[in-house]
Structure formats: structure tokens, C-alpha cells
Amino acid sequence: LQKLIHLLQVTDDPLIQEQALITLSNSAAFSVNQDIIRNLDGLSVIGGLLSDCVPKVKEKALNALNNLSMNIKNQEEIQVYITQVCRNIESAPLNSDLQLAGLRLLTNMSVTNDYHHKMINSIPCFLHLLSEGNERTQVQVLKVLVNLSANPGMTRHLLRAQV
């Protein structure tokens, strides 16, 4: 895991980055690896790739963070990327794998009320995706919206959203 994280830091090759991210993502299926990746500063290395110009690299980084977000301590670190994830969702092509990867991460990050406030500005985008997206996109957006709607503090923001 340490070598994979180091590889992500030193290479600019998108194909190598994608493969390293896929491997880290698969490794994150095991809770012990989630802790190791966090302790090796892997979350910030992966999070740094969310601003990469290659959509596939962003998508694989989102998938890795999604798997890593199953851990509460990891969520505390991943939450700093929520605004950027929302921007990636808004700027991604409609129904793209990149958009879906971002929505899946937000679904996990919105299970508790802790980070809902970071998603408020994206509610109009979510509602737009709900009306314009395909079935896969709609289902993923609904998961985020259901999580947000479970928080009474979000009611006003959900009802006042301009679409």
C-alpha cells in the first residue's frame, strides 16, 4: 500500500495512476487496509487527484475514496473534499461514470448528518440530475437526497432550492 501511494505521488502517467487507484480501491474493501491507507496519508494523496485533468483518474480517485469512506475516521479526513466532489459532479458530463462515482461518495458521506451542510449549494444540481439524468443517475441522486432529507436541518434548504 505504501508503494502504491508513493507511486501516485511521483507519476504523471494517467494509466499508472488509474491502475494504482483501482488497486487501492480494491484494498479498501478490508477495514484494516482502510486504516493503513489513512495512516500513510493516502487519503490526501488520493484526494489530490480529484483536481486531475483526466476524467478517468478523477473517477478512480472517487471510487477509492468511496470505498475508504466506509470508515468514520476516514470520513473525517475525506469531508474536506466534499465541495470539490460536488463541483466535479456538476461539471461532469450527464450520466457519466465520473458523475456516478461522485454521487456514490456523497451517498456514503451523507449517511450521517455531519457533512450535510457542505452539500447545500449542490441541492439544485441534485434536483436537476433527478429530472434530467438516466435511471442510474436518478437512483444515485435519490440516495443522496434521502440521506439529506433525514436531517430536519436540511428541510428548508431542500424546499427552497431553485431548479
Side-chain angles (χ1 to χ4, degrees), residues 5-6 21 65 68 116 146 156 159:
I5 292 167
H6 178 71
L21 287 165
L65 289 175
L68 289 161
H116 288 182
V146 164
R156 179 173 49 97
L159 295 176

Side-chain angles (χ1 to χ4, degrees), residues 100-115:
L100 287 168
L103 289 167
R104 281 192 296 273
L105 175 56
L106 290 186
T107 299
N108 283 348
M109 294 300 292
S110 63
V111 169
T112 66
N113 296 354
D114 297 342
Y115 311 114

